[in-house]
Amino acid sequence: MVRGRISRLSVRDVRFPTSLGGHGSDAMHTDPDYSAAYVVIETDAEDGIKGCGITFTLGKGTEVDWSREGRGAPGDSGCPKCGVGLVGQAGGKACLEVTCGHGVSNWMLRRKKLGKLKGNELQTCAELADPRMLVSCIDFRYITDVLTEEDALEILQKGQVAKKEREKQMLAQGYPAYTTSCAWLGYSDDTLKQLCAQALKDGWTRFKVKVGADLQDDVRRCQIIRDMIGPEKTLMMDANQRWDVPEAVEWMSKLAKFKPLWIEEPTSPDDILGHAAISKALVPLGIGIATGEQCHNRVIFKQLLQAKALQFLQIDSCRLGSVNENLSVLLMAKKFEIPVCPHAGGVGLCELVQHLIIFDYISVSASLKNRMCEYVDHLHEHFKYPVMIQRASYMPPKDPGYSTEMKEESVKKHQYPDGEVWKKLLAAQEN
């Protein structure tokens, strides 16, 4: 329990001009600026402990925009689905950034306090909570047809068996990762080749390439990356919701020769039956469906699992309103024996999701088969406790907290529109 009352809550709009280098570019978002609604909860506790939370967006996603019924035009990097507008409607709150960030902040407060009490040990949720406490955090409404409290408790109790051995394994080897940093859609061929060569040198064996804007360009770029990594290394593809259902099947049939493990977000993230149809068509080609980063509640995930609409489930560390909702999804994925391969990158998503995925292995799935966590090599330098990657794996964090605290200097410089970085950029645009 965290002692002390909340004395202050602040929300700041922090944006990074990633569009200048084409970082984060894909078929739907051609020039995104990775951004965050950054929430800080301060308390009146004597030790001055505070909690920090993040909701990742794409620049204009931190603004309220109800235009065009919440539909972004193709290539609109404001991405209403990534911001307060459409997601706020789904959550039934005026500003989901605050509620998501607030939830993360509360978990960070708990973990900081417990971390101080326990000392410098493995700081995962598996160390900080017993099965009954975790079950008490989950809202089982609308999912009891696939997961009951009794089911969840049984899974978590079974997860106690050999838990210490899995903790030791994580400390020694880390959690396997894949990289998305080599093949953003806006990168030139030379940049793609250079980054891919460096990643291979650094030991990466799993790569993801963005597709979906132009078929012939996709064929050419996929050929480049497959030639570089060879036939044995793992290749994934990500269309970022670009296609209709028939288009997705036709497009991926043409890209099947590059042997992708999965196609990610082939169509609207809300189209459960569409994903199921695509899955039925592509699984015989050896291509799985990965989706979930845009799913905003446990009920959508339940239906994706029930409909056999995915082979790889992608939670997002803050899309679901922090830890509690993610717990229910991890447990449902275990019930259906579907591997969890989280979405990460963005602003702080790698920092947050490392806790969830290591917890999933240690206390829920107890398996690394077909499991890997996304890694994007951007913006970690702005965090007080950045992720640690060794041998293409996430190494478990040992610092107390939930790894969400940003450096105050970075926040001040990148606060929109009055931070130093944005004052210069906006002034240059006016001239």
Side-chain angles (χ1 to χ4, degrees):
M1 180 177 179
V2 178
R3 301 292 180 184
R5 295 173 298 177
I6 294 176
S7 58
R8 183 172 180 268
L9 184 149
S10 64
V11 184
R12 296 155 85 179
D13 183 350
V14 183
R15 308 188 189 186
F16 299 90
T18 49
S19 61
L20 298 180
H23 312 313
S25 54
D26 58 54
M28 286 289 278
H29 319 106
T30 56
D31 59 347
D33 287 325
Y34 276 9
S35 309
Y38 181 56
V39 181
V40 177
I41 294 176
E42 298 179 20
T43 74
D44 60 4
E46 292 183 0
D47 56 8
I49 196 167
K50 62 182 179 181
C52 307
I54 284 174
T55 290
F56 167 61
T57 76
L58 297 179
K60 293 191 288 293
T62 48
E63 300 170 9
V64 178
D65 180 7
W66 304 102
S67 64
R68 298 186 63 184
E69 299 181 348
R71 179 186 177 190
D76 176 10
S77 290
C79 187
K81 288 201 69 67
C82 300
V84 60
L86 201 57
V87 181
Q89 294 178 56
K93 297 179 174 65
C95 187
L96 191 65
E97 280 88 353
V98 176
T99 60
C100 285
H102 195 164
V104 173
S105 300
N106 282 325
W107 274 88
M108 185 175 182
L109 278 169
R110 170 182 168 77
R111 299 196 63 241
K112 274 189 172 180
K113 178 63 72 175
L114 290 174
K116 286 185 177 181
L117 294 174
K118 293 174 72 64
N120 189 28
E121 299 178 11
L122 178 58
Q123 294 296 313
T124 69
C125 294
E127 275 287 296
L128 301 181
D130 62 33
R132 292 189 182 278
M133 194 287 284
L134 285 173
V135 169
S136 73
C137 293
I138 297 171
D139 185 351
F140 288 92
R141 288 177 299 174
Y142 315 127
I143 64 171
T144 55
D145 49 334
V146 301
L147 184 77
T148 65
E149 290 188 40
E150 293 74 20
D151 294 333
L153 187 59
E154 181 180 359
I155 291 170
L156 290 167
Q157 287 175 337
K158 286 183 177 178
Q160 298 295 302
V161 178
K163 187 176 79 169
K164 289 295 182 182
E165 286 74 11
R166 291 192 293 277
E167 288 180 10
K168 291 177 182 178
Q169 181 183 355
M170 286 292 98
L171 285 167
Q173 301 175 13
Y175 196 95
Y178 72 88
T179 178
T180 305
S181 298
C182 301
W184 297 112
L185 204 61
Y187 283 175
S188 67
D189 289 355
D190 287 343
T191 299
L192 187 156
K193 292 175 183 177
Q194 178 185 350
L195 293 175
C196 190
Q198 185 60 52
L200 288 166
K201 184 178 179 181
D202 292 340
W204 290 92
T205 61
R206 306 172 185 91
F207 299 79
K208 190 167 77 180
V209 58
K210 296 289 185 174
V211 298
D214 179 270
L215 179 56
Q216 294 309 311
D217 189 56
D218 286 348
V219 170
R220 184 181 55 78
R221 293 172 68 254
C222 288
Q223 188 67 65
I224 291 173
I225 195 168
R226 179 51 88 186
D227 287 346
M228 291 198 68
I229 68 175
E232 301 303 321
K233 292 185 173 59
T234 305
L235 180 64
M236 288 80 71
M237 298 180 183
D238 186 355
N240 289 94
Q241 320 151 36
R242 182 61 185 257
W243 304 315
D244 281 354
V245 172
E247 187 180 19
V249 174
E250 180 181 3
W251 203 298
M252 286 309 300
S253 296
K254 302 288 180 57
L255 297 181
K257 63 182 179 180
F258 299 109
K259 305 297 182 184
L261 177 66
W262 74 54
I263 176 61
E264 184 174 330
E265 287 198 314
T267 192
S268 166
D270 301 326
D271 191 354
I272 296 161
L273 296 183
H275 275 88
I278 297 168
S279 174
K280 185 176 181 180
L282 296 185
V283 165
L285 300 178
I287 304 172
I289 303 300
T291 194
E293 70 178 78
Q294 300 289 345
C295 292
H296 50 265
N297 64 58
R298 64 195 182 281
V299 179
I300 298 294
F301 275 110
K302 180 191 78 168
Q303 294 179 48
L304 285 165
L305 290 164
Q306 287 174 314
K308 299 180 180 179
L310 48 71
Q311 286 71 48
F312 302 91
L313 187 149
Q314 296 178 306
I315 59 169
D316 180 278
S317 53
C318 61
R319 168 69 54 176
L320 286 173
S322 186
V323 176
N324 299 36
E325 194 88 343
N326 270 301
L327 291 176
S328 66
V329 177
L330 293 176
L331 289 163
M332 285 192 289
K334 171 61 177 177
K335 185 82 177 288
F336 282 82
E337 292 298 338
I338 293 294
V340 176
C341 299
H343 169 245
V347 181
L349 298 187
C350 295
E351 277 71 21
L352 271 71
V353 86
Q354 62 180 334
H355 299 274
L356 295 175
I357 201 62
I358 292 173
F359 160 74
D360 180 54
Y361 172 63
I362 291 174
S363 293
V364 181
S365 73
S367 173
L368 293 178
K369 183 179 179 181
N370 288 329
R371 288 166 168 84
M372 64 191 96
C373 186
E374 183 174 23
Y375 177 71
V376 175
D377 190 18
H378 302 308
L379 307 178
H380 304 293
E381 68 274 15
H382 301 292
F383 285 82
K384 190 172 181 180
Y385 305 108
V387 292
M388 298 177 291
I389 297 290
Q390 295 179 14
R391 303 178 300 277
S393 297
Y394 279 85
M395 301 308 295
K398 294 184 179 181
D399 299 295
Y402 199 44
S403 307
T404 52
E405 186 171 359
M406 298 183 73
K407 296 176 180 177
E408 182 60 23
E409 180 182 3
S410 290
V411 173
K412 288 181 178 179
K413 282 186 176 181
H414 295 88
Q415 188 163 338
Y416 187 87
D418 300 321
E420 176 186 333
V421 169
W422 287 105
K423 279 185 177 180
K424 290 180 179 179
L425 286 171
L426 294 172
Q429 291 175 8
E430 292 177 357
N431 296 332

